[in-house]
Amino acid sequence: MHGSPDTDHHARIPHATRIERARVLVVGAGGLGCPASLALAQGGVGHLTLVDPDRVDVTNLPRQLWHRTQDVGRLKAESAAAGLLRAFPGLSVEALPERLDAGNAEALFREHDLVVDATDGVATKFFLSDVAVLTGVPLVYGGVLRMHGQALRIDPGGPCLRCLYEDVPPPDAVPTCAQAGVLGAMAGLIGAVQALLALELLAGAATGPRGQATLHVLDGETLEGRTVKVTRAPGCPGCAIQSLPPFPSSQEDTACPT
């Protein structure tokens, strides 16, 4: 844990003790998960759980800050956890080198106060949104493609990802990052925004009407951003979910390896 009741190193952050007691699940230890976990640790979050089944590849090194050359071939969850502990020796970190799917998603969500979606599959993002609605655990969505990115916090009672995009697009409708490319700095920026949205909620500083959320859209070409107000869609099937949805198949999950 960071700090103590006598020496609070985040005295200017509202409800810093509440942040220090928080447990946050980061799904994905790559281009979004690395900067998000860094910012969460810097913000004083007491426990981070990193879930990722993949191994470090040499192509990950330019944009996934916790992984070093000697980590190539190592499980990403373990490499990222080791990087966090190098930077924050007092942090509580758990590495789960496994895929979050229908077999473990509900339990993992319920064991944490908030979940950060740092995954690289479009269908997986919809799955995580559904699990967030089912469990009532807040989820911070993020996505990057080329030089553009966006982030949205899905709060209990608020709009879900299906309110915004309705359903998973066909596999050929969204180019992969291998086809379109992704700017590593943009992934870092969106990961940091995800962490800010998480810290805002954990600190009790989140405001806004119930049933409404804000989509943050960032353009890396112009360095401009805009916000879009999102409201719950009437009859949204995602908001009415009563049971765990099936985990998407690899054919459904268009991947963007951020």
Side-chain angles (χ1 to χ4, degrees), residues 90-213:
L91 180 66
S92 172
V93 184
E94 181 180 7
L96 296 179
E98 59 190 57
R99 186 175 301 281
L100 187 146
D101 56 24
N104 60 9
E106 186 173 355
L108 284 172
F109 267 63
R110 294 188 187 280
E111 290 170 2
H112 294 83
D113 300 296
L114 182 142
V115 179
V116 173
D117 169 16
T119 63
D120 57 12
V122 176
T124 297
K125 294 182 179 299
F126 280 83
F127 173 79
L128 295 178
S129 174
D130 291 342
V131 179
V133 173
L134 177 67
T135 59
V137 177
L139 171 74
V140 182
Y141 152 81
V144 178
L145 188 65
R146 297 187 180 98
M147 296 181 68
H148 300 84
Q150 53 186 233
L152 171 77
R153 190 178 64 235
I154 299 170
D155 294 327
C160 71
L161 199 58
R162 296 184 187 275
C163 292
L164 180 62
Y165 292 118
E166 294 188 2
D167 204 354
V168 182
D172 58 352
V174 180
T176 67
C177 286
Q179 296 169 331
V182 62
L183 182 65
M186 178 56 67
L189 180 58
I190 294 300
V193 171
Q194 289 182 277
L196 283 171
L197 292 174
L199 291 167
E200 178 186 52
L201 183 65
L202 295 173
T207 59
R210 183 174 175 82
Q212 180 175 295

Side-chain angles (χ1 to χ4, degrees), residues 150 214-219 224-228:
Q150 53 186 233
T214 301
L215 176 70
H216 299 266
V217 183
L218 300 174
D219 185 337
E224 293 181 347
R226 61 186 176 92
T227 58
V228 179

Side-chain angles (χ1 to χ4, degrees), residues 1-2 4 8-23 43-46 113 198-207:
M1 300 289 286
H2 295 299
S4 68
D8 186 353
H9 81 188
H10 289 288
R12 291 176 295 175
I13 299 178
H15 305 293
T17 301
R18 177 178 172 180
I19 294 177
E20 291 173 350
R21 292 175 177 171
R23 293 173 53 85
V45 170
D113 300 296
L199 291 167
E200 178 186 52
L201 183 65
L202 295 173
T207 59

